[in-house]
Amino acid sequence: MASKKTDLAIVNRSFWPQSQVIGEGLLQFAEQTAQHHSVCVITQADGDLATLLTNKGRGKGVQLRACKSYTTSSSGLIKRIAEALFFMFWTFISLVRAKPAKVYVSTNPPVVVPLIVAVYCRLFGARYVYHLQDIHPEAANIVVPISGVLFRLLQAVDNYSLRHADAIITLSEDMKVYIQQRSNTQRPIHLLDNPSFDVKPVPMAQRAKDIVFCGNAGRLQRIPLLMSAIRDYLQQGGKLCFTFAGGGVHAPDVKALANAYEQVDYLGFIPATEAAELVNQHRWALLPIDDEVTKYAFPSKSSGYALSGAGVLAICGEDTSVARWVEQLEVGVVCPADSNALVKCFFSLEERGVESFAVGDEVRERLLIPYFSRKLRDYIFVGTP
């Protein structure tokens, strides 16, 4: 085994401050770990990340290996694939130079970067923890169908990474079961919620606004269905008002609806802390998700919604992990992904009285960023300081 220069490398294309929630969680993870271990972060950034961290008094003792970022979530698929491959090579070179004994890697970007981490660890006798915040190529295949040969190849590659990981982290029981079935891995699989900033819930009676959507208006969020249902609801005399915040490929559709109806407001992209406060002003928060993708992912905005105390209106099938999450935590209602059903649901919300959807202290702690970063440290440094 080659001698190691670094105790831990954290590999994730998105980091603080561009990735405001997960990035903050990983930064806290790095900062806490750096108190007792040498830590290197391998990531991408728009500018001089090291200087920004220093100016903000963050990242003490954390080594940075950051290459320039060229794409966003709205960039074309070919550009994003090219950048993922570029980051894969950057990651391998950075790992060889840093020589970490342990590596944390997530699915950002998916498949290729976890593979390069697995290869590095096999070559240099290191160990890694694989965090699947979504499962690929299945999640990507829902958006852009992948040819059968390439799909099976990507699955085989990812299964290799899963079987050789020291441990695996994912989001839901459905995802855990699927990972086990697909890869036949014998590695331990831990469940860890996506985190959120802390928000002090405003009492429901003090919330002046009706329904909000905060997050990525992407290909898996049923935005066309949602736009159609809201349009029908308003044309039938609906009284509720809707607020949207965030970017994504369907942002122009949301903006067009807002331009057409006074009861719809589109704010564009806003920082995560402002988004949390925005949700806190509304009685209901929209959580639309494609049913098939719930086997391979879980909406990141769910934790922030639950912490805010707003009622979650999940738009999905009843036999999905998202629907079960809403019902088990008692944080809202579930509506089938059907335009007529959704219109009826909107009208029913007009008649509902003041309700409380606040989660208990145990659930609240589990959904916060400090818990997320602490559990990552526990999974990687079990039994060490």
Side-chain angles (χ1 to χ4, degrees):
M1 180 185 295
S3 61
K4 303 301 185 292
K5 295 195 301 184
T6 309
D7 293 325
L8 172 68
I10 298 172
V11 180
N12 198 71
R13 180 167 58 181
S14 299
F15 195 65
W16 179 95
Q18 280 75 28
S19 175
Q20 296 176 64
V21 180
I22 296 295
E24 174 64 27
L26 293 178
L27 177 55
Q28 289 188 22
F29 170 40
E31 290 171 330
Q32 292 166 7
T33 305
Q35 296 176 16
H36 302 282
H37 304 274
S38 55
V39 179
C40 171
V41 171
I42 300 171
T43 188
Q44 288 184 282
D46 291 335
D48 188 346
L49 182 56
T51 299
L52 181 59
L53 283 167
T54 299
N55 292 341
K56 295 293 185 179
R58 302 294 305 274
K60 183 179 179 180
V62 178
Q63 308 166 43
L64 288 173
R65 295 183 180 272
C67 63
K68 183 174 175 56
S69 178
Y70 295 96
T71 67
T72 68
S73 61
S74 299
S75 299
L77 183 62
I78 299 301
K79 289 183 178 180
R80 298 194 72 185
I81 291 173
E83 186 168 62
L85 293 174
F86 168 72
F87 186 68
M88 176 187 73
F89 289 114
W90 170 264
T91 296
F92 187 74
I93 293 169
S94 298
L95 288 171
V96 171
R97 289 177 175 175
K99 288 188 174 64
K102 296 185 179 183
V103 183
Y104 163 90
V105 62
S106 76
T107 45
N108 186 7
V111 183
V112 292
V113 170
L115 172 65
I116 216 67
V117 168
V119 170
Y120 162 81
C121 290
R122 295 284 285 181
L123 291 176
F124 290 87
R127 303 165 71 180
Y128 65 98
V129 171
Y130 187 4
H131 190 171
L132 284 91
Q133 291 166 317
D134 37 31
I135 300 172
H136 289 277
E138 288 82 351
N141 188 55
I142 296 173
V143 178
V144 180
I146 303 171
S147 69
V149 173
L150 179 58
F151 184 84
R152 289 189 294 273
L153 175 62
L154 292 173
Q155 276 190 327
V157 167
D158 202 47
N159 287 343
Y160 175 88
S161 302
L162 288 165
R163 286 195 293 267
H164 290 88
D166 202 44
I168 298 163
I169 306 170
T170 196
L171 300 174
S172 70
E173 187 65 33
D174 285 15
M175 293 173 71
K176 176 180 177 179
V177 169
Y178 185 80
I179 289 167
Q180 290 171 324
Q181 291 175 342
R182 192 193 76 180
S183 68
N184 198 30
T185 182
Q186 302 301 311
R187 305 302 187 182
I189 301 179
H190 307 288
L191 298 184
L192 182 64
D193 295 288
N194 277 327
S196 172
F197 290 108
D198 194 8
V199 180
K200 184 178 180 180
V202 172
M204 193 62 74
Q206 297 179 20
R207 297 175 186 246
K209 300 182 179 181
D210 297 321
I211 303 178
V212 67
F213 173 94
C214 275
N216 181 46
R219 298 177 178 88
L220 302 175
Q221 281 73 38
R222 298 188 181 275
I223 300 300
L225 167 68
L226 186 56
M227 297 298 97
S228 175
I230 292 175
R231 186 179 293 107
D232 290 347
Y233 165 74
L234 295 177
Q235 289 176 350
Q236 293 175 36
K239 300 176 182 178
L240 298 176
C241 295
F242 300 81
T243 305
F244 289 83
V249 295
H250 286 296
D253 300 330
V254 179
K255 186 176 181 180
L257 188 69
N259 290 337
Y261 295 92
E262 291 185 0
Q263 286 170 254
V264 181
D265 192 14
Y266 176 56
L267 306 180
F269 175 82
I270 62 176
T273 51
E274 292 182 22
E277 293 303 326
L278 179 67
V279 175
N280 221 5
Q281 300 169 18
H282 291 75
R283 295 186 298 115
W284 292 93
L286 291 167
L287 190 62
I289 188 72
D290 183 279
D291 284 8
E292 181 68 14
V293 83
T294 61
K295 300 175 184 176
Y296 320 123
F298 200 89
S300 58
K301 65 178 73 69
S302 58
S303 295
Y305 282 179
L307 289 174
S308 76
V312 177
L313 174 52
I315 303 170
C316 59
E318 293 183 358
D319 188 26
T320 62
S321 58
V322 172
R324 290 191 291 273
W325 177 83
V326 169
E327 292 166 355
Q328 289 169 5
L329 295 187
E330 299 181 342
V331 292
V333 297
V334 178
C335 178
D338 173 81
S339 184
N340 291 332
L342 194 50
V343 170
K344 291 179 181 178
C345 184
F346 289 148
F347 277 111
S348 72
L349 296 186
E350 292 183 13
E351 307 300 324
R352 294 178 75 116
V354 176
E355 301 172 75
S356 174
F357 296 101
V359 296
D361 291 341
E362 182 179 346
V363 173
R364 171 168 289 276
E365 179 187 5
R366 196 181 79 204
L367 299 179
L368 293 174
I369 290 175
Y371 180 89
F372 172 83
S373 59
R374 187 170 67 250
K375 294 304 292 184
L376 291 183
R377 184 172 175 272
D378 290 345
Y379 296 145
I380 292 175
F381 294 100
V382 175
T384 63

